[in-house]
Every structure is written in C-alpha cells, then in structure tokens.
Amino acid sequence: MTGLPAQAATCPVDTACPTTVTFDIAAGALEITVPDTADLANDGAPGGFAYGPLGAVTVDDNRASATPAWTVAVTSTDFVTAGGDDPGETIVNDSVYYCSGAATATTGDGTFTPGQTGCAAPPPPTGQTLDIERTAFAHAGGTGVNSATWNPLITIALALSNVAGQYTGTISHTVT
C-alpha cells in the first residue's frame, strides 16, 4: 500500500502555504594523482645534470568544505644504478631538485601557491633539494571544491664520480 504524502498545512485562499525543502550536498575526498613512472627527457654526463618534467601532478579536493585548505609535500629517495653498492652508483637525494612552477590548470576559488617558482633548465639547478620534505603546492581560502595541476621540473646534479648506467629512485607526493 502506498501512503499519501504528508501535508504540511492547509491554507485558505490567497494565503502562501509553505513547504520546507531539504537536500544534501555529498562530500567527496581529497586525492592526489601522480605519474606512475617518469623518464627524464635530458640525460647527463658526470659533472652535469639530468633533468626534465616529471609529468602532471593533480590534486582534486572534492570535500565541499567551507575552508578547503590543503598542502602537498614532496620527498625523494636516493637514485641508484647497478645495486648502488659502490659509491659511484648512488646519487644522494640532496642532489635531486624539485621545482613545481605555476599551476598548468586550476578549478574553484581560493589561492593556489606553488612551492617553488623560477623553474628553468640547468645550469644552475632551480627549485629545492629533496633531502628533506618540501612543499610542492598548497591551496587556501575559497569554498567548495577545487583542483590544481602542475608539471614539476626535476633536476639531478651528477657528481664527477658517478658511473654510467640507468639510475632509479622514487619521488613521493603526499597531500594533507
């Protein structure tokens, strides 16, 4: 049996008869998307630099918050080749530079702030070394949902003592 809708009120003619209406806005998640892998576009020689774009990094803030602030932190491991057992087979993370640059795309309102600006091909390397956690990007202010995408420049300073080989390391982003 189907019931009839509840009646809010009975009103006489020419009188406004009110109905209270409600609905919800669903809150989503705060998420970050990064490339699975990256091969720097410019290889280097000992004493030089390897560098190139990491690929698009995107933060989607779908929390629908009245104060949608977030910060992305970035770190790096050392880069190694051939197992990294000999000193020349390791590039320590204080030789890995990260430069976020300006956002390539944003949605929503508020202030989007890059962690580093003035990104340019080396020499000299631009940005900040990743031997400690750095701010890659941040957002503050505004309301509702927002997103930002940037394509950071990664530069790795190569020592004269580094040996030939393909070096592998991990750059990690965390959004909070």
Side-chain angles (χ1 to χ4, degrees):
M1 178 171 163
T2 304
L4 296 174
Q7 297 295 315
T10 301
C11 305
V13 69
D14 294 330
T15 302
C17 205
T19 301
T20 301
V21 178
T22 63
F23 66 94
D24 295 327
I25 293 179
L30 175 62
E31 300 176 316
I32 188 166
T33 305
V34 300
D36 289 332
T37 62
D39 186 358
L40 298 183
N42 300 280
D43 296 330
F49 301 94
Y51 64 96
L54 180 70
V57 176
T58 301
V59 171
D60 288 306
D61 185 352
N62 293 310
R63 297 173 294 173
S65 172
T67 56
W70 49 261
T71 300
V72 174
V74 61
T75 59
S76 177
T77 64
D78 294 343
F79 281 70
V80 298
T81 191
D85 298 325
D86 295 323
E89 296 175 345
T90 299
I91 301 169
V92 295
N93 57 3
D94 67 357
S95 294
V96 178
Y97 293 80
Y98 184 97
C99 194
S100 60
T104 57
T106 62
T107 63
D109 57 3
T111 302
F112 297 90
T113 306
Q116 305 80 30
T117 58
C119 306
T126 55
Q128 294 176 301
T129 61
L130 294 182
D131 53 328
I132 60 172
E133 187 175 270
R134 304 290 186 174
T135 297
F137 228 90
H139 174 268
T143 59
V145 299
N146 64 79
S147 69
T149 300
W150 65 97
N151 190 355
L153 174 66
I154 306 301
T155 302
I156 301 177
L158 310 175
L160 290 172
S161 60
N162 286 131
V163 300
Q166 184 178 52
Y167 286 76
T168 302
T170 302
I171 293 175
S172 299
H173 293 84
T174 306
V175 65
T176 54

